[in-house]
């Protein structure tokens, strides 16, 4: 609905008896000999500068050849000379509208309506000017008056439909476009507009058929190609949508909205660099395009260019400070920078501005957990569940958070709901969460496959790994977000140092921030190559591993914290192994082996793992260089009585279930 039809042009007005030269000029115009017509009109005006017929005819020709500034002078003089002629006022209004002087055009059309209330053209043109000014209710009234006077005008039915569309009255708009097409079956714009209404009514296949009909009639109709792209996105046919946007842009390279929607589609296709370029072009063409600033921010966030993303959101908020959506997007980006207090401020601002959806409460709860404000996190999870009890992975996260403070009320109901949802193939609990909630390997495997399907299935795979000749040294790559003072690295530091360098070349891919502690310094020296890749996307990290021709990629994180399973889903190396940091199945088909022991994975349980199990007598490495503890603390120093057996659990509290606690109490009794 972005293209407007030229208004019907009334016959040229004249306040004088038609002269023979003027009659000839009219004849030349009718036979499309416009250059000869223009020359003759100018000759007439040299002899009679106020000849309204020549002024009008020349003005119309100039307007039609896009010389609107000059046309406005001639048609304005004609209208001034013919103050009681509605046609003269309409013609002047048309050229003023072409020049973007919509308010002045509106005045002309109002004069025409006053002079000739029965003029369908006057009401029609008045409707167009009112529509340009976003006064759609008034525009609708004008189109309806015009149609009362001339019910067979397809353009008026089409524009009436456009006004109804702007008023969100899509069923009525559809009926109006149908009337336009009934009168003029080959009316391309009406078919295109009909397609837009059908899309708004979520009748996507019909919308696509209507847009295809418009393009059959007018293949170079850029707006219809654009709208076809929008309909294809609604049908999840993203590659086809991208092709439609590209066709629209080939026809209109400066079509800002097409660049924007193309950028959105490329984001959905996870082609973030291309999305960034498209969105930057949209902003270049339309600097005030706030949605493009927001979308560019999100594309940059997906590229892990968080500071640049924040700058985009700052620009968007400068234009629309009351946008809850932008405050939300800013909060998500701040999580990526681990600036949790600021993220919480952004989410709270979004709430204050009226955003109340599940996703906001979900993210807000996650930030509360990071800030160790567990009770408030539980409250936010509860608000999210109240809005949508079946929101993906929400119930499991809420139950996990409650377990952190041993809030066991309702646990039986929650566990039954979680298990039932997993059996139905629904995402209800992340794999890490489920490990501590249910001792059910079959459900764990199903839940993990669902998690991988919903979060780590790449839309665009990397090319198949090329065959490489065998080398003297095997290239090992260790991937972890925890190359710092962390339990995984405390255990594995000696392993990294102990590899036989005559047989192995060892590379670290550090997925987390540089904490600059003693352990980080030690393990950096333990590798042949230490690559900080926290700022790269999953695709970039997988491509980098391939560039370094890693033979065996070892994932030390699994489905924990800041781990990056997406890197392995893209196949970073020919052989991919899970070890140490996560000891459940990874699901999917991208981890080839899990290093474990028969206690951790009894042979009878192997069927519940997507990986082959590589058994060691004991899976857990230990660091032989770890210093022995100093002098033992006394019972008194620890606040314990001088005698009596002491029961201890050094596990996190979320691992304590009611059954475990009951067992402890029976032992104590």
């Amino acid at each position: 609905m972005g293209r407007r039809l030229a208004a019907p042009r009334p016959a040229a007005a004249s306040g004088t008896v038609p002269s023979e030269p003027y009659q000839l000029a009219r004849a030349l115009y009718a036979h499309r000999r416009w250059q000869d017509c223009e020359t003759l009109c100018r000759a007439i005006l040299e002899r009679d500068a106020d000849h309204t017929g020549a002024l009008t005819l020349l003005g119309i020709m100039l307007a039609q050849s896009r010389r609107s500034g000059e046309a406005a002078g001639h048609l304005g003089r004609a209208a001034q000379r013919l103050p009681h002629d509605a046609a003269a006022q309409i013609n002047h209004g048309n050229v003023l509208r072409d020049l973007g002087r919509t308010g002045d055009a509106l005045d002309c059309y109002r004069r025409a309506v006053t002079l000739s209330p029965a003029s369908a053209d006057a009401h029609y043109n008045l409707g167009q000017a009112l529509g340009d000014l976003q006064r759609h209710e008034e525009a609708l009234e004008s189109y309806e008056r015009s149609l009362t006077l001339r019910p067979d005008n397809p353009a008026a039915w089409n524009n009436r439909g456009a006004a109804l569309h702007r008023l969100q009255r899509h069923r009525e708009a559809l009926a109006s476009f149908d009337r336009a097409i009934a009168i003029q079956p080959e009316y391309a714009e009406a078919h295109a507009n009909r397609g837009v209404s059908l899309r708004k009514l979520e009748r996507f296949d019909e919308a696509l058929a209507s847009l295809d009909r418009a393009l059959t009639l007018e293949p170079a109709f850029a707006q219809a190609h654009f709208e076809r792209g929008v309909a294809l996105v609604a049908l999840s046919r993203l590659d086809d949508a991208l092709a439609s946007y590209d066709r629209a842009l080939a026809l209109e390279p400066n079509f800002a909205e097409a660049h924007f929607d193309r950028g959105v589609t490329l984001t959905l296709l996870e082609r973030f660099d291309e999305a960034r370029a498209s969105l930057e072009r949209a902003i270049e063409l339309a600097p005030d395009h706030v949605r493009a600033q927001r979308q560019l921010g999100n594309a940059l966030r997906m590229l892990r260019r968080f500071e640049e993303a924040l700058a985009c959101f700052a620009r968007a908020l400068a234009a629309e400070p009351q946008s809850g959506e932008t405050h939300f997007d800013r909060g998500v980006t701040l999580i990526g920078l681990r600036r949790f207090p600021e993220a919480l401020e952004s989410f709270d601002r979004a709430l204050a501005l009226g955003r109340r959806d599940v996703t906001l409460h979900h993210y807000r709860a996650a930030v509360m957990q990071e800030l160790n404000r567990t009770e408030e996190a539980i409250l936010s999870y509860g608000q999210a569940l109240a809005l949508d009890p079946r929101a993906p992975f929400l119930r499991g996260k809420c139950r996990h958070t409650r377990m952190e403070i041993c809030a066991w009320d309702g646990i039986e109901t929650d566990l039954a709901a979680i298990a039932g949802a997993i059996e139905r193939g629904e995402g209800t609990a992340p794999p890490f969460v489920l490990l501590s909630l249910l001792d059910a390997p079959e459900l764990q495997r199903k839940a993990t496959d669902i998690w991988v399907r919903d979060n780590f299935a790449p839309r665009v795979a990397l090319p198949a790994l090329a065959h490489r000749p065998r080398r003297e040294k095997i290239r090992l790559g260790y991937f972890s977000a925890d190359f710092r003072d962390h339990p995984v690295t405390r255990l594995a530091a000696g392993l990294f140092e102990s590899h036989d360098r005559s047989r192995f070349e060892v590379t670290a891919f550090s997925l987390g921030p540089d904490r600059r502690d003693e352990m980080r310094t030690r393990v950096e020296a333990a590798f042949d190559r230490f690559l900080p890749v926290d700022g790269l996307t999953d695709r970039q990290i997988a491509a980098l591993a391939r560039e370094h021709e890693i033979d065996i990629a070892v994932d030390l994180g699994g489905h924990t914290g800041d781990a990056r399973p997406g890197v392995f889903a893209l196949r970073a190396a020919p052989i991919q192994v899970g070890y140490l940091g996560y000891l459940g199945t990874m699901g999917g088909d991208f981890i080839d082996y899990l290093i474990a022991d028969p206690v951790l994975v009894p042979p009878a349980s192997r069927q519940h793992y997507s990986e082959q199990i590589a058994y060691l007598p004991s899976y857990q490495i230990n660091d032989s260089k770890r210093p022995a503890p100093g002098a033992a603390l006394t019972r008194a120093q620890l606040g314990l009585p001088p005698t009596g057996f002491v029961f201890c659990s050094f596990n996190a509290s979320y691992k304590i279930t009611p059954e475990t606690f009951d067992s402890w109490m029976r032992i104590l009794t």
Side-chain angles (χ1 to χ4, degrees), residues 90 211 251 302 362 407 421 529 552:
I90 291 172
L211 289 159
L251 293 162
M302 299 307 294
H362 193 157
R529 189 181 296 107
I552 303 173

Side-chain angles (χ1 to χ4, degrees), residues 155-173:
W157 284 111
N158 178 65
N159 285 18
R160 176 182 181 271
L164 288 162
H165 167 83
R166 301 295 181 197
L167 294 167
Q168 307 295 315
R169 292 161 61 179
H170 300 301
R171 293 187 187 282
E172 295 170 81

Side-chain angles (χ1 to χ4, degrees), residues 510-526:
S510 178
L511 307 173
D514 182 359
R515 300 296 174 82
R516 282 292 97 194
D517 57 28
E518 185 178 338
M519 187 59 77
R520 170 68 170 235
T521 302
R522 176 183 168 187
V523 296
E524 280 190 9

Side-chain angles (χ1 to χ4, degrees), residues 50-251:
D50 292 327
H51 191 293
T52 54
L55 286 168
T56 301
L57 190 54
L58 179 58
I60 288 173
M61 282 192 299
L62 290 168
Q64 288 173 336
S65 60
R66 299 185 181 279
R67 290 178 282 172
S68 301
E70 189 181 355
H74 292 297
L75 293 171
R77 281 175 62 197
Q80 193 174 28
R81 298 290 296 168
L82 299 168
H84 303 297
D85 189 321
Q89 308 307 315
I90 291 172
N91 284 334
H92 189 209
N94 288 341
V95 74
L96 290 171
R97 184 166 169 258
D98 289 341
L99 288 167
R101 293 169 56 185
T102 311
D104 293 333
L106 187 69
D107 292 338
C108 291
Y109 298 141
R110 288 201 188 282
R111 284 195 293 274
V113 166
T114 301
L115 290 166
S116 183
S119 168
D121 288 335
H123 289 290
Y124 172 86
N125 284 289
L126 178 60
Q128 289 203 111
L130 289 164
D132 290 346
L133 294 167
Q134 309 298 311
R135 292 161 61 175
H136 301 301
E137 289 280 7
E138 295 172 79
L140 180 61
E141 291 175 13
S142 287
Y143 292 132
E144 288 179 343
R145 289 195 191 99
S146 178
L147 286 164
T148 300
L149 296 162
R150 190 194 299 163
D152 62 346
N153 182 359
W157 284 111
N158 178 65
N159 285 18
R160 176 182 181 271
L164 288 162
H165 167 83
R166 301 295 181 197
L167 294 167
Q168 307 295 315
R169 292 161 61 179
H170 300 301
R171 293 187 187 282
E172 295 170 81
L174 180 62
S176 205
F177 298 133
D178 284 340
R179 287 291 296 273
I181 292 165
I183 297 165
Q184 186 177 326
E186 297 191 352
Y187 192 168
E189 185 172 351
H191 283 287
N193 286 344
R194 181 177 184 272
V196 177
S197 287
L198 287 163
R199 175 174 60 80
K200 289 290 187 178
L201 293 167
E202 299 185 0
R203 292 161 59 179
F204 301 121
D205 287 310
E206 294 173 80
L208 190 60
S210 202
L211 289 159
D212 285 342
R213 176 63 179 148
L215 288 165
T216 299
L217 294 166
E218 192 175 331
F221 191 170
Q223 183 76 29
H225 284 293
F226 166 75
E227 295 293 355
R228 185 175 186 274
V230 178
L232 286 163
V233 169
L235 289 165
S236 299
R237 292 170 55 183
L238 300 181
D239 289 311
D240 292 336
L242 193 61
S244 280
Y245 294 136
D246 286 342
R247 283 193 286 273
L249 288 165
L251 293 162

Side-chain angles (χ1 to χ4, degrees), residues 441-446 585 604-611:
E442 183 178 357
L443 283 179
Q444 184 72 30
R445 170 68 186 275
K446 289 181 179 177
T585 182
S605 297
R606 289 175 61 173
Q607 62 182 310
H608 303 306
Y609 287 75
S610 60
E611 308 86 347

Side-chain angles (χ1 to χ4, degrees), residues 354-365:
R355 180 162 173 162
R356 294 283 189 277
D357 61 291
V358 172
T359 307
L360 173 56
H361 287 295
H362 193 157
Y363 270 100
R364 188 174 182 277

